[in-house]
Amino acid sequence: MPERKAPLPPFGVMAEFDDAEHLVDAVKRARNAGFRRLDAYTPFPVADLTEALGIQDNRVPWLTLAGGVMGAATGFGLQVWSNLDYPIPVGGRPLVALPATLLITFELTVLGAVLSAILGMLVLNRLPRLHHPVFGVPDFHLASSDKFFLVILGEDARFDEAARFLGDLAPVRVVGVPQTEGPE
């Protein structure tokens, strides 16, 4: 007899809005009402939405700085090591001349910073994510053209009140988002 899996908790409740102003207002009202686990989907960047959602994550700039410093140290260190380990004295010049090492050091600084920024962004955003529960919501594909969506996640402490609260914000519609295990 096959094992029955316990039902998955809901991913969240989603409200659809026609314009960005209503979405930002809805996010602010949800935050003021005590909802903390929110997410929003828009077809273009919306001013004030990041602030309204309370997103304060600034790890990517620090990862970029760390990657740049590591790239610079690697570039400079490799040149110093190779010049000291395999010396080629030419015309009485010093073995480690700073102007001669700047080009490679700069290039590896940029390479390290760019790679760490891209990889950090992908890892922190859990990308590539080929399946997400909101993809199953009817008309969610419109988030890439002209609709705006707000989701109160199922892990929010006040989730039981979410559907009623979103309905009071006068959205186009409110739908539940079931948790999914991904495509089979």
Side-chain angles (χ1 to χ4, degrees), residues 97-178:
L98 188 59
T101 62
L102 288 181
L103 182 63
I104 299 301
T105 302
F106 172 76
E107 293 298 332
L108 286 179
T109 300
V110 172
L111 178 66
V114 168
L115 288 178
S116 64
I118 291 171
L119 292 175
M121 182 271 307
L122 289 173
V123 169
L124 292 173
N125 288 325
R126 295 183 206 109
L127 295 174
R129 188 168 186 172
L130 303 177
H131 179 75
H132 193 281
V134 298
F135 294 165
V137 173
D139 294 335
F140 181 72
H141 67 280
L142 296 174
S144 63
S145 60
D146 66 348
K147 295 292 182 183
F148 302 83
F149 294 90
L150 170 63
V151 178
I152 298 179
L153 301 176
E155 47 198 52
D156 193 281
R158 299 186 63 201
F159 179 71
D160 295 337
E161 308 164 27
R164 186 176 40 79
F165 175 80
L166 288 175
D168 292 342
L169 298 177
V172 173
R173 79 184 92 191
V174 176
V175 293
V177 182

Side-chain angles (χ1 to χ4, degrees), residues 17-35:
F17 297 93
D18 281 329
D19 58 57
E21 291 80 24
H22 284 105
L23 174 66
V24 173
D25 181 56
V27 170
K28 288 178 182 176
R29 289 174 59 186
R31 297 275 301 169
N32 290 338
F35 294 100

